[in-house]
Amino acid sequence: MPACLLSASLCMPRVQVAIEPWSAGSGIPEAKCVLNGINITQILSPRTVLCKVVGVIFALASGLPVGKEGPMIHAGAAIGANVAIGPRCIKFLSEFRNDRDKRDFAAMGTAAGVASAFRTPIGGVLFAIEEGASYWNSELTWRAFTAACVAIVTVYLLRSRGLSLLTDPLDSHDMFIFGQFSSATDTDFYFWELIIFTAMGVLGGLMGVCFIAANKQLNVWRRARLGSSRVLRLAELVCLVTLVSVVAWFLPLAAGRCRPVPTHVEGWSESGVRVLNSLVRHNCPAGHYNELASLFLVEPDQAIKALFHLGNGTLSWHAPALFFVAYFALECLTPGAWVCSGVFIPTLLSGAALGRCTGQLLGRNPRTYSIMGAGSLLGGVMRMLISLTVIITEASGWVLFVLPLMVVFLAARSAGNHFNDGMNDTQILARRIPFLQHQPPESIRQQNVRVHQIMTQEVKCLQPVETVERVYRTLRSCDHNCFPVIDGESRPFRRRYTLRSVLLGTILRKTLLVLLARRRFAPPSADDASMPRPLPVLAWGDLEGRYPKYPRMEHLDLSEEDGRCLIDLAAYVQVGPHSMNEHASAHRAYEMFRTLGLRHLTVVNHFNEVVGIISRENLLPCNLQQPKPKVGSPLPRRRWRASGGGGSSGGGGGDGASSPQKRSSRRRERSIEKMLQRATGMHKGA
Amino acid sequence: MPACLLSASLCMPRVQVAIEPWSAGSGIPEAKCVLNGINITQILSPRTVLCKVVGVIFALASGLPVGKEGPMIHAGAAIGANVAIGPRCIKFLSEFRNDRDKRDFAAMGTAAGVASAFRTPIGGVLFAIEEGASYWNSELTWRAFTAACVAIVTVYLLRSRGLSLLTDPLDSHDMFIFGQFSSATDTDFYFWELIIFTAMGVLGGLMGVCFIAANKQLNVWRRARLGSSRVLRLAELVCLVTLVSVVAWFLPLAAGRCRPVPTHVEGWSESGVRVLNSLVRHNCPAGHYNELASLFLVEPDQAIKALFHLGNGTLSWHAPALFFVAYFALECLTPGAWVCSGVFIPTLLSGAALGRCTGQLLGRNPRTYSIMGAGSLLGGVMRMLISLTVIITEASGWVLFVLPLMVVFLAARSAGNHFNDGMNDTQILARRIPFLQHQPPESIRQQNVRVHQIMTQEVKCLQPVETVERVYRTLRSCDHNCFPVIDGESRPFRRRYTLRSVLLGTILRKTLLVLLARRRFAPPSADDASMPRPLPVLAWGDLEGRYPKYPRMEHLDLSEEDGRCLIDLAAYVQVGPHSMNEHASAHRAYEMFRTLGLRHLTVVNHFNEVVGIISRENLLPCNLQQPKPKVGSPLPRRRWRASGGGGSSGGGGGDGASSPQKRSSRRRERSIEKMLQRATGMHKGA
């Protein structure tokens, strides 16, 4: 058996990962990023899905402590997104070929993925809501609801294996992946035990903190020592699988106690009786089972059912305790290895073992305690509340668990969040994905930071009519995705207030690339040398028809003569884009990014002149450690940090160091400066 | 008994409503408005809550077909909001004294209200999410989750009546307001029955449509004939209560069949056995019960339990059928009368009767069918999905109902939404509350409407330094809540582009009122006649400390001399407010209002000059029937609707009708017009 585990493990998962690096890991962080509005094409590509699905099958077969639910969720999101950008020939789907609908479809796919992974349709929708809450809306609720409903009907149909559905009632036990709890004696608890559950939740939260911190350190070590060397990564995987196989085989031999299989099962629930079939004999005499082997040498689902449903007197307290120690340690090692893996089921399993051991030691109902133990560790690692409560309730079929589970998850989350972020957020941070949390970073919230302190000043601007050469050079010179279109020349920003560079709109890189590729440029027209010869406008369908595959720089074929042609961007500009005054608070900018799902925001001054741009990168905590003290602000530096309170109405003296100019705009500028001084005095001081 | 019902009904509910009109009705529309970001102070006032709570007790006692859950939800929201603006002496709470936190607390209160109304904590959170999804975020999820958890623990404690909690396991049956379903035989259904459930859902949806339409017509009649005359309203209520009492008493006498109370209850679920205690004898011999009376003359909760749990052979099919017809008709009459009422439980009850009758006629399990019938009618009236599914699942304790309920709710919602809006949305529309649905009105979505077509042009602007008299007059002259602060004089907007009225920020009415009331003005200072003598700035705590009760116009005590003083607004201006270009799409403005919860949005032109303002009223469907063809736009009228495609680069000829000016800004203006012509050509034509 260990040989079989070893061989299965070695053949494929690594190959999958080598083909498509995004298919490694659990997939939940990726799904979360997609729902947050981040567009990383590879995450959702069909190749990733395929690698993930095949990879997870082999990973499970290898016996590693991994779960299939993370990859199923990722696969669900990817399938959803690929339906949205499906074959162009299907007319009905063509209106969904844009980022927003793709994201919505990914959310629906996520819901369906969770629904089929745990057979919990409501849990699926809630998972998508809780993870993707930044752009949730009621429209999306019913779509995700429908997707989850269809997914679960499909699962029912597939599991029915034929037409028995028409003649027999549903096998309810089959639909609960944790086995159905169906009687009050299975699950009783006293009200005062909520206090114990709270303590278990806190403990689970702290263990989650350790798990996440240990795994993070391990992954730092992995990146430093193993890098992306295929040989080293494969060697690591071989070691890991060998270790798991050895522990799973020999620990039961060494420490597992043999017990006779119970025969008197009256009073047992049906789920408990069913579990008896999956007990493992291992080295025991006939009619007996090895306690530890029944946990180690079965599928994780079965082990969970055994912990949840076996009656009193079938497991001694030290079997789950030993199992917990060994399994939890192995589980810490796995995330980050080059294997498709979820932590959901393994965490649940080790938590259940811990809970069962606690329950038996306290002399309480071990079934209830194993559920609560599973919840506490899961809550400590995942830090979600409502979706986890519903998933566990739905998957165990016992509604009375709702209240204790809520208590456990609240305790675990509160304890855990005190020390570090949840597993998914930690992984997202480690991958340096520009994911925006709901709460802005501390530095923005605390310090009354203004937009101009966090913006990027180097903006590449375009004018409504440009030469092809300049457009091409602009695209070449940076990897910005959004270019403000301004009226007049783009001047250096130290000399603002020349009233030349008023923001007219923005244009996207992809639009420029399509225009260049489709050769929408012409030599100057006869009557107006500053305008190109009139050309028919490219329709929306032509611009966006190739979504999401736009022409690429290296495929453009432009001659020197083309370079002198003019290109008229006016028809393609987004007029009146989202913009923000440089003195507005950065907190507000963050909120706009987060709630409207923006990717960039043009920063303007009081005359609507472009002075900077903000993208998601500007808002990440790592880039915000020290907001710049003062950039591009007309406020005199010495007053910026002056504490207000008294004398906000100070005269107009002491403004900036710029040379006096005789422009009419200068007077206005001064009065605005004066006003801003007073305003800032108040904002800082009050 | 009818006499008792009558007398109870007459004494109080109307008195409550007379004291506080907002306490009439179910309260769910009000809670929904609060979560949408609408600030109607009376909705959440402690007086409303008190009236509502007292009123609903009497309304229930009167025997009218009303439910207590709507008022409980409303009361929950109001209690939440009042906690946020609680006693000023509690330091901890003082930071929540603002609209946003008040709304969040109201959401938490809503969750707690639903949780305690139905004893469904998760359902409570989901109700708040589904109704308030416009500003939902993960922070709020865990707060609402905590609130619901605390609420349900409190309910457990209150219902335990003493310390038995410490010594007995929880009475699980007590926690399910629909009675616990606990065995598969109670609830079995075949997979193919999903098709029947879908049909029931569609039927329920259509009946919901009729219910809503009938009730709407009735309320139109009520407004026209009864108006707000107290005598007529009271007379209506007396008639209604009399009618209900007569029907409830005499219909069972006339048409109710007597049956012996079952004595052989082996194989019955515990809930079924418990229901036997609530059967009503009425006119029957001892040891018998009257079928119809057992539905009419008990509390709605008990009647629901009877329909859900009584076994085969305890009710003939025509008892629920007759009950449904009579009760549903009475239920249609109630909403809109001057009584605190919810439709949730009555709808559930009539739906359950219809479902049970269907099930018995089809020869299927009547218990499952009564649940699905209840779901279908409820779905048809409320049009919610996920929260209703979870509430019914949690309240009946049977997780296997999730799938059929999902199917039923989807069918009911799809069928219903085809014809009209749900009950809550209809009531909101009827009350003309500026509630923003998730989807913008059809007229915005279809016609590519621009912001300047829907904005209000008459903006009252202020300058950073104003005379008290002008501020006072401005406040008097309108009821706007937000005033743009501009640099320079406010000119009539036909003569824009004078580069005088650049938007500096906005100031709120309440701030101005506080400044006037606190006399933050002074005569001109000695060295600069345009500035007031320096005054210490009012701290934020002083400005907002009296939230939500600000000084009122009529309490201001200003002399003529005060009127000539100057008031320096600069320190109180919100710098860089949300603003939008006049040519941006109205759809985008709608989205900002909806997702950021804005109340007003300043509209500016390309030079950041104020040209208009949008408030929620501008975005309501009733105000959007005909967007103005062209206002404040520099685009020549004849080109606005020109179909693009060819020749978008037309020359600069044919611009607006404004007189030629020799300003330098005029040139720029032209070039922008040119550009916008081209851009518009593209947007319309492509």
Side-chain angles (χ1 to χ4, degrees):
Chain A
M1 190 142 173
C4 143
L5 294 178
L6 244 175
S7 65
S9 75
L10 293 186
C11 59
M12 283 291 286
R14 211 205 58 78
V15 181
Q16 303 304 330
V17 174
I19 295 176
E20 185 54 68
W22 279 105
S23 70
S26 91
I28 296 182
E30 286 82 358
K32 197 169 167 172
C33 290
V34 170
L35 299 189
N36 193 259
I38 294 160
N39 199 9
I40 305 175
T41 323
Q42 298 99 304
I43 291 183
L44 298 177
S45 77
R47 205 168 69 163
T48 310
V49 183
L50 194 69
C51 290
K52 196 115 203 176
V53 171
V54 178
V56 77
I57 292 171
F58 284 94
L60 283 172
S62 74
L64 284 172
V66 297
K68 63 179 184 299
E69 43 347 284
M72 278 184 80
I73 292 164
H74 184 171
I79 290 172
N82 283 298
V83 165
I85 57 170
R88 216 158 303 148
C89 49
I90 306 176
K91 209 69 195 160
F92 163 69
L93 288 175
S94 65
E95 62 178 295
F96 301 123
R97 297 179 72 85
N98 58 67
D99 281 352
R100 173 173 295 231
D101 282 315
K102 190 166 119 181
R103 194 184 65 210
D104 285 0
F105 271 77
M108 292 183 250
T110 307
V114 180
S116 52
F118 300 108
R119 295 174 224 158
T120 57
I122 301 288
V125 181
L126 292 183
F127 185 93
I129 289 185
E130 198 164 359
E131 289 300 62
S134 44
Y135 315 110
W136 204 260
N137 59 54
S138 50
E139 194 77 359
L140 199 46
T141 307
W142 83 256
R143 288 184 183 163
F145 191 86
T146 314
C149 188
V150 172
I152 198 72
V153 167
T154 314
V155 171
Y156 271 55
L157 283 175
L158 288 176
R159 292 191 71 86
S160 73
R161 298 185 197 86
L163 289 171
S164 63
L165 282 175
L166 294 179
T167 51
D168 301 324
L170 284 175
D171 176 6
S172 62
H173 282 272
D174 191 42
M175 295 318 296
F176 298 100
I177 60 162
F178 300 159
Q180 187 180 17
F181 288 86
S182 52
S183 80
T185 50
D186 268 13
T187 54
D188 61 333
F189 61 94
Y190 292 85
F191 201 75
W192 55 265
E193 289 183 78
L194 286 183
I195 300 165
I196 302 182
F197 297 152
T198 312
M200 286 172 71
V202 172
L203 182 69
L206 297 180
M207 294 177 70
V209 169
C210 300
F211 175 82
I212 292 165
N215 192 256
K216 194 174 161 187
Q217 282 305 318
L218 185 65
N219 284 334
V220 169
W221 176 85
R222 273 194 183 114
R223 264 196 299 279
R225 294 297 169 95
L226 306 182
S228 52
S229 148
R230 298 189 174 197
V231 178
L232 288 176
R233 288 291 195 154
L234 181 60
E236 186 207 5
L237 207 59
V238 173
C239 294
L240 199 60
V241 175
T242 314
L243 181 65
V244 171
S245 304
V246 168
V247 170
W249 188 260
F250 292 103
L251 196 63
L253 280 186
R257 186 190 289 183
C258 289
R259 274 177 181 267
V261 176
T263 45
H264 300 286
V265 291
E266 55 269 18
W268 282 40
S269 68
E270 198 185 330
S271 308
V273 177
R274 285 180 180 219
V275 165
L276 294 183
N277 299 329
S278 69
L279 296 176
V280 177
R281 186 178 148 197
H282 210 41
N283 59 337
C284 296
H288 286 60
Y289 64 95
N290 183 312
E291 287 180 347
L292 266 179
S294 300
L295 299 175
F296 266 120
L297 294 175
V298 293
E299 282 178 44
D301 290 10
Q302 279 301 330
I304 290 178
K305 279 189 190 170
L307 289 167
F308 279 2
H309 290 288
L310 279 181
N312 281 321
T314 43
L315 286 176
S316 43
W317 70 265
H318 42 81
L322 205 57
F323 176 76
F324 167 73
V325 173
Y327 196 81
F328 192 61
L330 291 173
E331 194 200 332
C332 282
L333 300 178
T334 313
W338 267 17
V339 64
C340 311
S341 64
V343 295
F344 206 104
I345 292 288
T347 310
L348 210 64
L349 178 53
S350 37
L354 182 64
R356 180 152 185 132
C357 150
T358 314
Q360 288 190 240
L361 284 177
L362 293 176
R364 314 291 323 158
N365 186 334
R367 285 164 288 221
T368 310
Y369 275 73
S370 58
I371 283 266
M372 297 308 142
S376 66
L377 200 57
L378 193 61
V381 172
M382 306 287 280
R383 310 279 165 83
M384 300 196 294
L385 295 170
I386 192 162
S387 48
L388 293 186
T389 312
V390 172
I391 286 174
I392 295 193
T393 308
E394 272 194 280
S396 62
W398 195 247
V399 175
L400 271 183
F401 283 144
V402 165
L403 175 63
L405 279 176
M406 287 177 87
V407 171
V408 163
F409 283 126
L410 267 177
R413 181 192 158 101
S414 311
N417 275 2
H418 199 71
F419 295 98
N420 60 14
D421 286 334
M423 185 74 184
N424 296 332
D425 290 337
T426 307
Q427 290 187 354
I428 289 171
L429 265 182
R431 292 182 186 198
R432 301 186 165 278
I433 301 173
F435 181 89
L436 300 184
Q437 298 290 347
H438 165 63
Q439 282 281 355
E442 198 66 18
S443 50
I444 283 190
R445 268 182 298 160
Q446 296 280 316
Q447 298 175 27
N448 198 14
V449 179
R450 303 276 139 188
V451 162
H452 65 84
Q453 292 174 285
I454 59 166
M455 70 185 183
T456 307
Q457 287 180 82
E458 293 77 33
V459 195
K460 304 271 180 185
C461 293
L462 295 171
Q463 293 181 47
V465 176
E466 285 280 11
T467 62
V468 170
E469 191 189 346
R470 218 182 94 79
V471 171
Y472 184 81
R473 275 181 198 277
T474 308
L475 290 177
R476 259 250 113 91
S477 67
C478 64
D479 56 355
H480 301 174
N481 272 314
C482 177
F483 300 91
V485 175
I486 57 173
D487 173 48
E489 280 166 40
S490 165
R491 297 276 174 96
F493 297 118
R494 290 291 146 197
R495 298 173 63 197
R496 282 172 303 108
Y497 300 126
T498 53
L499 285 181
R500 295 286 317 195
S501 53
V502 167
L503 172 69
L504 299 179
T506 52
I507 194 161
L508 297 177
R509 170 179 283 265
K510 59 184 189 184
T511 312
L512 293 172
L513 285 172
V514 172
L515 292 178
L516 288 182
R518 302 283 296 261
R519 304 183 70 79
R520 289 286 125 177
F521 44 77
S525 65
D527 53 337
D528 184 353
S530 70
M531 294 292 292
R533 265 194 295 109
L535 282 173
V537 175
L538 264 193
W540 167 257
D542 293 321
L543 270 179
E544 287 294 323
R546 303 192 55 184
Y547 177 90
K549 286 178 186 150
Y550 298 101
R552 298 170 66 174
M553 283 303 282
E554 43 289 15
H555 299 154
L556 293 180
D557 180 24
L558 298 170
S559 68
E560 201 164 315
E561 199 168 330
D562 291 339
R564 282 189 295 274
C565 287
L566 293 173
I567 184 167
D568 182 6
L569 304 178
Y572 311 101
V573 162
Q574 189 193 23
V575 180
H578 285 299
S579 65
M580 201 151 222
N581 188 284
E582 56 180 339
H583 295 290
S585 84
H587 195 309
R588 199 127 49 84
Y590 190 94
E591 204 175 42
M592 280 183 79
F593 267 85
R594 167 88 193 180
T595 52
L596 296 173
L598 302 185
R599 300 224 169 104
H600 15 66
L601 183 64
T602 317
V603 181
V604 295
N605 64 15
H606 276 295
F607 306 104
N608 201 29
E609 296 164 317
V610 178
V611 296
I613 197 162
I614 302 183
S615 64
R616 282 177 172 249
E617 279 73 16
N618 294 102
L619 296 169
L620 292 184
C622 50
N623 298 335
L624 276 172
Q625 293 312 318
Q626 296 167 318
K628 298 148 203 162
K630 189 201 88 115
V631 275
S633 151
L635 296 176
R637 201 164 306 188
R638 65 176 176 79
R639 298 204 57 117
W640 178 251
R641 293 210 155 269
S643 69
S648 71
S649 63
D655 53 4
S658 59
S659 62
Q661 287 178 307
K662 292 293 170 208
R663 293 177 159 278
S664 70
S665 67
R666 190 70 193 125
R667 277 201 307 281
R668 194 162 48 255
E669 205 178 310
R670 268 176 204 261
S671 80
I672 292 176
E673 275 182 36
K674 247 196 256 178
M675 196 206 95
L676 281 169
Q677 278 167 25
R678 285 176 280 151
T680 316
M682 185 264 177
H683 285 143
K684 298 296 298 177
Chain B
M1 190 145 176
C4 143
L5 293 178
L6 245 174
S7 65
S9 74
L10 293 187
C11 61
M12 283 291 285
R14 213 204 56 79
V15 180
Q16 303 303 330
V17 174
I19 295 176
E20 186 52 70
W22 278 105
S23 71
S26 92
I28 296 182
E30 285 82 357
K32 198 169 166 171
C33 290
V34 171
L35 300 189
N36 192 258
I38 294 160
N39 200 10
I40 306 176
T41 321
Q42 297 102 305
I43 291 183
L44 298 176
S45 77
R47 207 169 66 162
T48 310
V49 184
L50 194 69
C51 289
K52 196 115 204 174
V53 171
V54 178
V56 78
I57 292 172
F58 284 93
L60 283 172
S62 75
L64 283 173
V66 298
K68 63 179 184 298
E69 47 338 290
M72 279 183 79
I73 292 165
H74 183 170
I79 290 172
N82 283 299
V83 166
I85 57 171
R88 215 157 304 146
C89 48
I90 306 177
K91 206 77 192 155
F92 163 70
L93 287 175
S94 65
E95 62 180 294
F96 300 123
R97 297 178 72 83
N98 58 67
D99 282 351
R100 171 175 298 231
D101 282 316
K102 191 166 118 183
R103 195 184 64 210
D104 285 359
F105 271 77
M108 292 184 251
T110 307
V114 181
S116 52
F118 300 107
R119 294 175 222 155
T120 56
I122 302 287
V125 181
L126 291 183
F127 185 91
I129 289 185
E130 199 165 357
E131 288 298 64
S134 46
Y135 316 109
W136 205 260
N137 58 54
S138 51
E139 193 77 358
L140 199 46
T141 307
W142 84 255
R143 288 184 183 162
F145 191 87
T146 314
C149 188
V150 172
I152 198 73
V153 167
T154 314
V155 171
Y156 271 56
L157 283 175
L158 288 177
R159 292 192 71 87
S160 72
R161 297 184 197 88
L163 289 171
S164 63
L165 283 175
L166 294 180
T167 49
D168 299 324
L170 284 175
D171 176 5
S172 61
H173 282 272
D174 191 43
M175 295 319 295
F176 298 100
I177 60 162
F178 300 158
Q180 188 179 16
F181 288 85
S182 52
S183 81
T185 50
D186 270 12
T187 55
D188 60 336
F189 62 93
Y190 292 84
F191 200 75
W192 55 265
E193 288 183 80
L194 287 183
I195 299 166
I196 301 183
F197 297 153
T198 312
M200 288 173 69
V202 172
L203 183 69
L206 297 180
M207 295 178 68
V209 169
C210 299
F211 175 83
I212 293 165
N215 193 254
K216 195 174 161 188
Q217 282 305 316
L218 184 65
N219 284 334
V220 169
W221 176 85
R222 271 191 183 119
R223 263 195 301 277
R225 294 297 170 95
L226 308 182
S228 54
S229 150
R230 298 191 173 195
V231 178
L232 288 177
R233 288 292 198 157
L234 180 60
E236 186 207 5
L237 206 59
V238 172
C239 294
L240 198 60
V241 175
T242 314
L243 181 65
V244 169
S245 304
V246 168
V247 170
W249 188 259
F250 292 103
L251 196 63
L253 281 186
R257 186 190 288 184
C258 290
R259 276 177 180 267
V261 176
T263 45
H264 301 286
V265 291
E266 57 270 19
W268 283 39
S269 68
E270 198 184 330
S271 307
V273 176
R274 285 179 182 219
V275 166
L276 294 183
N277 299 330
S278 69
L279 295 177
V280 177
R281 186 177 148 201
H282 210 40
N283 59 337
C284 296
H288 286 62
Y289 64 96
N290 183 312
E291 287 181 348
L292 266 178
S294 301
L295 300 175
F296 266 120
L297 294 175
V298 293
E299 281 179 43
D301 291 9
Q302 279 301 330
I304 289 179
K305 279 188 190 171
L307 288 168
F308 280 0
H309 291 289
L310 280 180
N312 281 322
T314 44
L315 287 176
S316 42
W317 69 266
H318 44 79
L322 204 56
F323 176 77
F324 166 74
V325 173
Y327 196 81
F328 191 62
L330 292 172
E331 195 201 331
C332 281
L333 300 177
T334 313
W338 268 19
V339 64
C340 312
S341 64
V343 295
F344 205 105
I345 291 289
T347 311
L348 209 64
L349 178 52
S350 36
L354 183 64
R356 178 148 188 135
C357 153
T358 315
Q360 287 189 238
L361 284 178
L362 293 175
R364 314 292 322 157
N365 187 335
R367 286 163 289 223
T368 311
Y369 274 73
S370 58
I371 284 266
M372 297 309 142
S376 66
L377 200 57
L378 193 61
V381 171
M382 307 288 278
R383 312 279 165 83
M384 300 195 295
L385 293 170
I386 193 164
S387 48
L388 293 187
T389 312
V390 172
I391 286 175
I392 294 193
T393 308
E394 272 194 281
S396 63
W398 195 247
V399 175
L400 270 184
F401 283 145
V402 165
L403 175 63
L405 280 175
M406 288 176 87
V407 171
V408 163
F409 283 126
L410 266 178
R413 181 191 158 102
S414 312
N417 275 1
H418 199 70
F419 295 99
N420 59 16
D421 286 335
M423 185 73 183
N424 296 333
D425 289 338
T426 307
Q427 289 187 353
I428 289 170
L429 265 182
R431 293 185 185 195
R432 303 187 163 277
I433 301 174
F435 181 88
L436 300 185
Q437 299 289 345
H438 164 63
Q439 282 282 355
E442 199 64 19
S443 51
I444 284 191
R445 266 182 297 162
Q446 296 280 318
Q447 299 176 29
N448 198 13
V449 180
R450 303 277 138 187
V451 163
H452 65 84
Q453 291 174 286
I454 59 166
M455 70 187 183
T456 305
Q457 288 180 79
E458 294 78 31
V459 195
K460 305 270 181 186
C461 294
L462 295 170
Q463 292 181 49
V465 176
E466 286 279 10
T467 62
V468 170
E469 190 189 348
R470 218 184 92 80
V471 171
Y472 184 79
R473 277 180 198 278
T474 308
L475 291 177
R476 260 248 114 93
S477 66
C478 63
D479 57 355
H480 301 173
N481 272 314
C482 177
F483 300 90
V485 175
I486 57 174
D487 172 48
E489 280 166 40
S490 164
R491 298 273 174 98
F493 296 118
R494 292 288 148 196
R495 297 174 62 196
R496 283 172 303 108
Y497 301 127
T498 53
L499 283 179
R500 296 286 316 197
S501 53
V502 166
L503 173 69
L504 299 178
T506 53
I507 194 160
L508 297 177
R509 169 178 284 264
K510 59 184 191 185
T511 313
L512 293 173
L513 284 172
V514 172
L515 293 179
L516 288 182
R518 301 283 296 262
R519 304 182 70 80
R520 288 289 125 173
F521 45 78
S525 65
D527 53 337
D528 184 354
S530 70
M531 294 292 293
R533 264 193 296 110
L535 284 171
V537 175
L538 266 193
W540 195 81
D542 292 322
L543 271 180
E544 288 294 323
R546 303 192 55 186
Y547 177 89
K549 287 182 185 146
Y550 298 101
R552 298 170 66 174
M553 284 300 284
E554 45 288 16
H555 299 156
L556 293 181
D557 181 25
L558 299 171
S559 67
E560 205 165 312
E561 201 169 331
D562 291 338
R564 284 190 294 275
C565 287
L566 293 173
I567 182 164
D568 182 6
L569 305 178
Y572 311 102
V573 163
Q574 189 193 23
V575 180
H578 286 298
S579 65
M580 201 150 224
N581 188 285
E582 55 180 339
H583 295 290
S585 84
H587 195 310
R588 198 125 53 82
Y590 190 96
E591 204 176 41
M592 280 182 80
F593 267 84
R594 167 85 193 183
T595 52
L596 296 173
L598 302 185
R599 301 225 169 103
H600 16 66
L601 182 64
T602 317
V603 181
V604 295
N605 64 15
H606 276 296
F607 306 104
N608 201 29
E609 297 164 316
V610 179
V611 296
I613 198 162
I614 301 184
S615 65
R616 282 176 171 248
E617 277 74 16
N618 295 104
L619 296 169
L620 293 185
C622 51
N623 299 335
L624 275 172
Q625 292 313 317
Q626 296 165 318
K628 299 150 201 161
K630 189 200 89 115
V631 275
S633 151
L635 294 179
R637 200 164 307 185
R638 65 174 176 78
R639 298 205 54 118
W640 178 250
R641 291 209 157 270
S643 69
S648 72
S649 61
D655 51 6
S658 59
S659 63
Q661 287 178 308
K662 291 299 170 203
R663 294 179 156 280
S664 68
S665 67
R666 192 70 193 123
R667 277 201 305 283
R668 191 162 52 255
E669 204 176 311
R670 268 177 207 262
S671 79
I672 291 175
E673 273 179 37
K674 248 196 261 180
M675 197 207 95
L676 281 169
Q677 276 166 25
R678 285 176 280 150
T680 316
M682 186 267 176
H683 285 146
K684 299 294 299 176

